[in-house]
């Protein structure tokens, strides 16, 4: 049995280190699934399992723990950046500007309340208290990447004995999860909101403002101006995106191209954005009932959904592909991540897009070959892009920026650098021939692996001093300070967003959850709302909020802990 004892006691053994991480991660994940009053801590429970292991001296060499912690953090933030990158800049459009401004104010208020707690409840002469309270704040806002960024920045300020701020994070996290939901409910009562009225408002807005989704209609050409004009001329004059997928002329159904000439009485099958349907009908002619099945049987035309898998298609615009004029086919609809989008001329193709193509069968087959249409290619992750991005991100994060008043140059570090590069690659990678497509499951798997490696390492390292720091130290102060950091900003910003900008309460719920990057709060919002408003609010502010949480973590440490 000596070999079995050696597995659990020989900290230099590779087998021991693997067993350590397997035990901590497995126990943490299983315990994280247990719900308390309908709320679970999720994968973050790995941190608590790691603290327990460290407290019981079930540990590994510091060099190994540091590597797993840093590599896990890099992988975690990079995959987050790839996910949020495509929508990062789009989130500032229209009402997104107001929501992101309010989310930024919420983040600043979290910091302000943290400093208020620091001066009210803690000994300011102790240099460790402020870093511990920074860790507490990131537990209060349930933001693990911020904890990682702060921990990494502390290594440059405390090169010899880095404070294990995960102890403060662990104290504040459980009440942080619950506090976000409770404070969001309190906003509802403070603002005197009735859920039924909010639901009804969303339904009315949907009816008044149709989504930009594909809309199909049969039209008869009655506008005398169109007689003798080509499809290209009509499209340029109308200045609206639409696709004429079929035309009935002199009893023959065909697929029009840019040079097809329209005549009075022609019947068209048009696909456009729903919001553009009325102007297009007003310009071309009335909508009619049409049955072209008999004529269609004479034409060898097919309608097929094609998957974009060829890397050379990545980033190309629909308007520059000239499918209609060159191939005699039309692209009528595009689906990305399960969402239907109208095929406008400025649409950029991304690997993984599913495209609806209509035309003669032979030509559709040629277009399918051009686009790839090999689903098997999507099964293989673009691993090279991930590691090229990580390489560039680490180099970028290591660049020093000298700022007056800071004891050491500012570096974005292994958290901020890969995050920024990942956002840029996710949005603009196609311009440098980088294919960033990964399935949702692949992204989540890599992200979760990075997160559990980081949490397990942080917990094991913090476990050795957890008892002295928390139980016999200022643990209770961290708990109630964290609760105040969680609740007070929501109670201020939530009603302000309601009264100042008149946003729907369900959108506000999503915005608050996204500002705290807290999935349990979003899950609660989705439970009480039958519409997508919470998800819209969450996704609008999540990219900027995640970036600011990570960036401000390093600024706080370098400015105030040096």
């Amino acid at each position: 049995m000596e070999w079995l004892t050696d597995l659990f006691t020989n900290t230099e053994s590779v087998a021991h280190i693997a067993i350590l991480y397997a035990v901590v991660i497995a126990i943490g994940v299983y315990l994280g699934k247990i719900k308390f009053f309908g709320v679970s801590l999720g994968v973050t429970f790995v941190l608590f399992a790691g603290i327990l292991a460290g407290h019981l001296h079930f540990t590994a060499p510091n060099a190994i723990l540091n590597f797993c912690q840093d590599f896990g953090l890099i992988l975690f933030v990079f995959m987050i950046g790839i996910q949020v990158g495509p929508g990062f800049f789009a989130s500032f459009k229209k009402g997104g500007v107001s929501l992101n401004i309010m989310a930024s104010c919420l983040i600043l208020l979290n910091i302000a309340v943290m400093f208020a707690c620091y001066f009210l409840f803690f000994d300011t002469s102790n240099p460790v208290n402020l870093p511990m309270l920074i860790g507490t704040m990131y537990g209060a806002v349930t933001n693990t990447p911020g904890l990682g960024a702060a921990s990494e920045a502390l290594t440059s300020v405390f090169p010899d004995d880095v404070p294990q701020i995960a102890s403060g994070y662990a104290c504040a996290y459980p009440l942080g999860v619950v506090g976000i939901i409770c404070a969001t409910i309190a906003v509802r009562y403070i603002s005197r909101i009735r859920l039924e009225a909010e639901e009804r408002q969303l339904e009315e807005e949907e009816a008044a403002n149709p989504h930009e989704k594909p809309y199909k209609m049969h039209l008869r050409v009655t506008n005398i101006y169109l007689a003798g004009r080509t499809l290209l001329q009509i499209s340029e004059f109308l200045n609206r995106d639409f696709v004429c997928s079929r035309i009935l002329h002199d009893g023959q159904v065909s697929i029009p191209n840019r040079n097809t000439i329209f005549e009075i009485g022609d019947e068209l099958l048009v696909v456009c954005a729903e919001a553009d349907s009325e102007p297009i009908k007003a310009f071309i002619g009335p909508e009619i009932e049409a049955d072209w099945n008999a004529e269609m049987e004479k034409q060898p035309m097919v309608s097929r959904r094609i998957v974009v898998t060829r890397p050379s298609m990545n980033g190309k615009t629909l308007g520059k592909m000239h499918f209609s004029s060159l191939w005699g086919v039309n692209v009528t609809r595009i689906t990305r991540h399960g969402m239907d989008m109208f095929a406008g001329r400025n649409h950029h193709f991304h690997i993984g897009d599913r495209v609806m193509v209509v035309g003669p069968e032979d030509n559709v087959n040629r277009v399918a070959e051009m686009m790839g249409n090999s689903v098997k290619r999507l099964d293989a992750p673009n691993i090279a892009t991930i590691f090229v991005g990580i390489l560039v991100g680490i180099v970028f994060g290591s660049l020093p920026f000298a700022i007056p008043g800071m004891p050491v140059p500012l570096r974005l570090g292994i958290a901020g650098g890969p995050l920024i590069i990942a956002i840029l690659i996710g949005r603009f990678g196609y311009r440098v021939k980088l294919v960033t497509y990964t399935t949702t499951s692949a992204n989540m798997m890599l992200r979760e692996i990075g997160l559990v490696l980081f949490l397990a390492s942080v917990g094991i390292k913090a476990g050795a001093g957890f008892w002295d720091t928390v139980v016999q130290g200022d643990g209770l102060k961290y708990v109630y300070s964290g609760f105040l950091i969680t609740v007070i900003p929501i109670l201020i910003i939530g009603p302000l967003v309601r009264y100042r900008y008149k946003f729907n309460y369900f959108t506000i719920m999503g915005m608050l959850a996204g500002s705290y990057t807290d999935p349990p709060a979003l899950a609660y919002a989705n439970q009480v709302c039958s519409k997508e408003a919470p998800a819209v609010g969450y996704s609008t502010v999540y990219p900027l909020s995640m970036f600011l949480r990570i960036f401000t973590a390093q600024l706080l440490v370098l400015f105030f802990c040096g």
Side-chain angles (χ1 to χ4, degrees):
M1 294 297 289
E2 184 177 342
W3 63 271
L4 185 59
T5 304
D6 189 61
L7 277 179
F8 287 89
T9 58
N10 183 6
T11 58
E12 300 295 329
S13 165
V14 174
H16 167 85
I17 296 169
I19 287 175
L20 167 65
Y21 276 94
V23 169
V24 168
I25 292 172
I27 291 176
V29 170
Y30 280 122
L31 291 178
K33 294 180 179 180
I34 300 174
K35 291 187 176 181
F36 301 93
F37 303 102
V39 178
S40 66
L41 296 184
V43 73
T44 308
F45 217 107
V46 172
L47 174 67
F48 297 94
I51 288 174
L52 178 61
H55 180 68
L56 298 176
H57 305 291
F58 184 29
T59 185
N62 270 338
I64 300 295
L65 294 174
N66 289 334
F67 169 77
C68 290
Q69 173 184 324
D70 292 344
F71 180 72
L73 178 63
I74 291 169
L75 194 60
F76 178 51
V77 299
F78 187 83
M79 298 315 295
I80 285 177
I82 288 291
Q83 179 196 30
V84 305
F88 184 80
F89 299 98
S91 66
F92 298 103
K93 295 179 180 178
K94 298 180 181 179
V97 174
S98 301
L99 286 177
N100 276 290
I101 289 174
M102 289 294 98
S104 302
C105 292
L106 190 68
I107 293 169
L108 293 176
L109 273 176
N110 289 136
I111 296 172
V113 175
M114 180 204 72
F115 275 110
C117 292
Y118 172 63
F119 288 110
L120 288 173
F121 307 135
F122 292 86
D123 179 8
T124 57
S125 63
N126 188 339
V128 177
N129 279 339
L130 183 56
M132 288 296 295
L133 200 54
I134 292 175
T136 302
M137 179 183 70
Y138 281 98
V141 300
T142 68
N143 186 264
T144 308
L147 170 68
S151 299
E152 195 243 337
L154 282 169
T155 58
S156 61
V157 180
F158 298 89
D160 299 323
D161 187 17
V162 181
Q164 297 302 317
I165 62 175
S167 300
Y169 179 95
C171 288
Y173 188 91
L175 276 181
V177 174
V178 176
I180 295 170
I181 296 174
C182 292
T184 303
I185 295 173
V187 169
R188 169 187 163 191
Y189 290 101
I190 292 173
S191 302
R192 298 180 181 179
I193 292 170
R194 293 173 57 247
L195 298 184
E196 299 82 2
E198 300 301 297
E199 284 264 7
R200 191 162 52 252
Q201 179 190 4
L202 290 177
E203 292 173 357
E204 292 171 355
E205 288 177 357
E206 285 185 2
N209 300 292
H211 298 296
E212 294 296 306
K213 59 185 180 182
Y215 183 80
K216 184 172 67 174
M217 55 187 173
H218 291 91
L219 303 179
R220 177 177 286 116
V221 178
T222 59
N223 184 351
I224 194 170
Y225 171 83
L226 305 185
R229 307 280 183 176
T230 65
L231 176 59
L232 177 61
Q233 291 173 325
I234 295 169
S235 176
E236 290 176 345
F237 183 85
L238 187 55
N239 196 28
R240 291 180 185 269
D241 286 324
F242 72 95
V243 172
C244 183
S245 60
R246 296 184 185 92
I247 180 172
L248 177 63
H249 178 74
D250 290 338
Q252 296 293 321
V253 176
S254 62
I255 298 203
N257 58 39
R258 62 193 301 175
N259 298 316
T260 298
I261 296 175
F262 285 9
E263 299 294 345
I264 299 297
D266 286 351
E267 295 181 8
L268 314 175
L269 177 58
V270 172
V271 180
C272 64
E274 191 171 1
D276 289 335
S277 61
E278 291 301 324
I280 291 173
K281 282 192 287 187
F283 182 70
I284 294 177
E287 188 169 0
I288 61 173
E289 295 289 335
D291 183 8
W292 294 349
N293 291 334
E295 293 297 332
M296 288 294 296
E297 290 175 358
K298 302 176 184 178
Q299 304 291 329
M301 294 190 295
V302 296
S303 177
R304 183 177 301 167
R305 194 169 289 278
I306 296 170
V307 183
V308 179
T309 60
R310 190 178 296 278
S312 60
M313 287 291 299
N314 202 42
K316 290 188 175 180
T317 58
L318 176 60
K320 294 182 179 179
M321 295 302 296
H322 305 298
F323 285 123
S324 178
S325 58
L326 294 178
W327 302 96
V329 301
N330 286 316
V331 174
T332 59
R333 284 183 293 279
I334 298 170
T335 303
R336 180 179 297 164
H337 300 305
M339 295 181 61
D340 277 344
M341 298 180 292
F342 173 66
R345 64 170 66 93
N346 295 318
H347 172 82
H348 287 277
F349 287 114
H350 285 192
I351 298 295
D353 284 354
R354 298 182 182 272
V355 182
M356 180 63 75
V357 177
V358 179
E361 186 172 7
D362 289 345
N363 289 354
V364 169
N365 290 337
R366 293 190 184 101
V367 171
E369 184 179 352
M370 180 199 309
M371 291 187 170
N373 202 35
S374 175
V375 179
K376 289 184 178 179
R377 290 188 182 181
L378 299 182
D379 294 336
N382 297 288
I383 198 90
T385 297
I386 294 173
F387 282 97
V388 166
I390 288 175
L391 169 63
V392 176
I394 292 173
V395 172
F396 180 65
S398 301
L399 294 175
F401 299 94
I403 298 178
M406 292 184 65
V408 293
L410 172 66
R411 288 180 172 86
L412 295 175
I414 60 172
L419 176 70
I420 292 175
I421 295 300
I423 289 174
L424 295 176
I425 287 176
R427 176 61 182 87
F428 303 108
Y430 66 87
R431 295 187 178 178
V432 291
K433 308 302 180 184
L434 285 177
V435 178
T436 60
Y437 174 81
T438 56
T439 62
T440 302
S441 58
N443 185 293
M444 288 297 296
M445 176 63 75
L446 290 172
R447 204 164 85 186
E448 292 296 289
I449 288 175
L451 178 58
V452 295
L453 284 176
F454 169 76
L455 290 173
S457 304
V458 169
I460 294 167
K461 288 166 62 176
F466 186 79
W467 182 268
D468 293 334
T469 303
V470 175
V471 179
Q472 295 181 344
D474 293 328
L476 185 59
K477 289 183 180 180
Y478 297 143
V479 171
Y480 61 69
S481 294
F483 186 74
L484 294 176
I485 293 170
T486 301
V487 170
I488 292 176
I490 293 179
L491 297 180
I492 295 173
I493 295 296
L496 179 62
V497 174
R498 176 68 174 184
Y499 291 123
R500 175 66 178 84
Y501 296 103
K502 309 299 182 184
F503 277 107
N504 186 277
Y505 173 66
F506 296 119
T507 302
I508 295 173
M509 292 180 77
M511 184 273 289
L512 295 174
S515 302
Y516 281 70
T517 63
D518 186 53
L522 175 63
Y524 170 76
N526 285 331
Q527 286 177 1
V528 299
C529 179
S530 63
K531 307 297 181 183
E532 295 183 357
V536 171
Y538 184 92
S539 60
T540 299
V541 303
Y542 179 89
L544 180 63
S545 297
M546 180 63 77
F547 172 76
L548 290 178
R549 294 287 185 193
I550 293 174
F551 188 64
T552 55
Q554 301 192 58
L555 290 181
L556 286 171
V557 169
L558 296 177
F559 262 113
F560 298 104
C561 298

